[in-house]
Amino acid sequence: MANKRDYYEVLGVDKNVSPEDLKKAYRKLALKYHPDRNPGDKEAEEKFKEAAEAYDVLSNPDKKARYDQFGHAGLDGAGFGGQGMSMDDIFSSFGSIFGDLFGGGGGFGFSGFGGSRTQGGPRGGQRGSNLRIKVKLTLEEIDQGVEKKIKVNKYVPCKSCGGSGARNNSFETCSHCHGSGVVTELRRSLFGQMQTQSVCPYCGGQGRIIKDKCPDCHGDGIVKAEDIITINIPAGVSDGMQLSMRGQGNAGPHGGVPGDLIIQVEELQHDIFERQENNLFYNAFVTVAEAALGASIEIPTLHGKVRVKIEQGTPSGKVIRLRGKGLPDINGYSRGDMLVSINVWVPKSLTKEEKAILEELSSHPNFKPNPSKQEKGFFDKMKDLFN
């Protein structure tokens, strides 16, 4: 992660780039470093992959939001997305862009820069769709990170036909693409004559056609089933954050690669703590006597109870900062704080004896309000806390 360049720097754009300009920037780099234009150049291939990975993140609103907030760390770790892209991932995900670049209709092969890129056999099936779920988390789980086992209903490969969709492997070679899964044509472009390939429309890129469909999946190669998925949630996530597990979504028809599992975090309201970013807020109540005389009170935290000293003459509304008692940063570099608001408890009903004592005390000079002009107001106190 430390060696990765900033994705905006990779594509040469700023954070406010429009989708159209982002795509243009990526297309420019894809053309410059495409393997067919730089045969045998490993450095160009790495730059091609780097640009594709950057575009994959910045063109996806969910991934972009996580990256903008947490950087590369928001995409890495615990089996979630951002682990890099293979050449197959790139051509599968961005085939239409390469088609625009090189004159194809969704294919990625062309000649003119050191040979044509061919498929070399039938393609896999269509990619499976993504699966979205919500995971409810307590503050305690967010504080430590947690492993969850989630039961989901999703499409899985059909066991009867092994995901092929055909009964007893009954296929015949596609007569239109002759088993290649692609159709080829020549086009003229800015770079001269180019050979382009696109998916065969008759067999869907399979190179073969089912003769006898599987009765269990009706030829699709996938069926609905219940699955249990283990999810490792990293510490420091927040409400609304989305995490991705590659390949844990719905299986693709006819042996296609599975989609991703998109996990949306739903933070449960805590009984006593309120959260603001990585800081926690807690309301502590003390008696009039404790506020006036000073005291030592017990404060709960996510890691057990701590004792806090209340200074003599502490006013209601004073905020005490407990450093490092908040939630961890998702990058793991630091922790937030706990802000304890001191509230003086005023009883709503009094006995005759209590009233007599308070009336006696109220006549004493120290019990008459006498605020100092130098006394800081509420907003000044809050500024001090966050500076």
Side-chain angles (χ1 to χ4, degrees):
M1 184 177 72
N3 296 326
K4 284 189 177 183
R5 285 203 297 156
D6 178 75
Y7 286 148
Y8 293 99
E9 179 185 342
V10 169
L11 297 180
V13 298
D14 59 38
K15 288 189 176 183
N16 298 319
V17 64
S18 67
E20 293 77 15
D21 289 340
L22 181 70
K23 185 175 181 180
K24 288 179 182 177
Y26 171 56
R27 289 175 63 184
K28 181 179 179 180
L29 291 174
L31 175 60
K32 182 177 180 180
Y33 296 115
H34 195 283
D36 286 343
R37 194 176 187 183
N38 302 272
D41 189 338
K42 291 295 183 183
E43 183 178 351
E45 182 176 328
E46 289 306 311
K47 289 184 179 293
F48 181 76
K49 291 180 179 179
E50 184 182 47
E53 183 179 331
Y55 181 74
D56 174 60
V57 172
L58 300 184
S59 62
N60 182 302
D62 295 334
K63 292 181 182 180
K64 183 178 184 297
R66 271 187 287 142
Y67 178 75
D68 287 348
Q69 187 173 5
F70 303 111
H72 293 295
L75 304 169
D76 290 336
F80 298 102
Q83 303 296 326
M85 302 185 73
S86 67
M87 295 298 282
D88 287 340
D89 290 333
I90 296 169
F91 289 124
S92 174
S93 300
F94 307 132
S96 61
I97 293 181
F98 297 136
D100 293 340
L101 285 169
F102 307 127
F108 53 80
F110 70 102
S111 61
F113 296 112
S116 62
R117 193 176 189 90
T118 59
Q119 192 67 19
R123 293 189 176 190
Q126 178 185 345
R127 182 182 185 275
S129 61
N130 292 339
L131 187 64
R132 293 180 176 272
I133 63 171
K134 281 187 177 182
V135 175
K136 295 182 179 181
L137 301 175
T138 64
L139 276 183
E140 286 79 7
E141 291 173 327
I142 291 172
D143 175 66
Q144 297 293 322
V146 65
E147 179 182 282
K148 293 275 189 179
K149 292 185 182 296
I150 306 296
K151 187 182 293 184
V152 296
N153 286 311
K154 66 176 187 176
Y155 283 106
V156 299
C158 175
K159 292 182 179 179
S160 299
C161 63
S164 69
R167 187 206 295 262
N168 299 323
N169 205 33
S170 55
F171 290 99
E172 61 182 6
T173 301
C174 176
S175 60
H176 295 275
C177 65
H178 306 291
S180 68
V182 294
V183 290
T184 305
E185 61 180 324
L186 292 176
R187 294 191 181 193
R188 293 185 179 276
S189 74
L190 178 65
F191 305 105
Q193 193 175 57
M194 293 185 180
Q195 177 179 291
T196 63
Q197 294 178 336
S198 58
V199 178
C200 175
Y202 296 95
C203 64
Q206 293 288 299
R208 57 189 184 177
I209 295 173
I210 297 174
K211 293 175 62 178
D212 186 13
K213 291 182 179 181
C214 170
D216 293 332
C217 65
H218 308 290
D220 293 328
I222 52 175
V223 293
K224 272 280 190 180
E226 192 176 81
D227 191 18
I228 296 177
I229 301 175
T230 300
I231 303 171
N232 291 304
I233 307 291
V237 296
S238 57
D239 187 60
M241 182 179 288
Q242 292 192 119
L243 306 171
S244 174
M245 291 182 71
R246 181 171 293 178
Q248 292 296 324
N250 289 309
H254 307 121
V257 296
D260 299 337
L261 177 65
I262 309 299
I263 305 126
Q264 182 173 339
V265 174
E266 183 177 338
E267 183 180 307
L268 297 173
Q269 186 174 352
H270 200 274
D271 291 337
I272 59 174
F273 298 130
E274 291 185 18
R275 178 182 183 178
Q276 182 178 345
E277 296 181 348
N278 293 332
N279 295 323
L280 295 177
F281 291 81
Y282 175 72
N283 282 312
F285 292 89
V286 298
T287 65
V288 174
E290 287 173 326
L293 299 175
S296 175
I297 64 172
E298 210 171 51
I299 300 294
T301 72
L302 291 174
H303 305 118
K305 295 181 178 180
V306 298
R307 296 203 72 84
V308 173
K309 184 179 180 180
I310 304 299
E311 299 291 344
Q312 179 179 331
T314 294
S316 187
K318 180 179 176 63
V319 179
I320 299 173
R321 180 193 289 269
L322 303 181
R323 295 192 178 276
K325 297 297 183 182
L327 294 169
D329 185 271
I330 194 169
N331 294 306
Y333 301 139
S334 61
R335 274 188 173 271
D337 302 328
M338 178 175 286
L339 303 176
V340 181
S341 177
I342 304 300
N343 299 273
V344 177
W345 181 264
V346 179
K348 294 182 179 180
S349 59
L350 299 169
T351 65
K352 288 183 179 180
E353 184 181 358
E354 291 167 341
K355 284 182 180 180
I357 293 172
L358 289 178
E359 286 171 355
E360 171 64 22
L361 289 173
S362 66
S363 64
H364 290 251
N366 283 337
F367 283 84
K368 294 187 182 296
N370 185 27
S372 169
K373 291 184 179 179
Q374 297 181 351
E375 183 79 18
K376 289 187 177 182
F378 172 78
F379 293 107
D380 289 329
K381 292 178 183 177
M382 295 305 292
K383 284 182 183 178
D384 289 343
L385 280 171
F386 290 96
N387 288 333

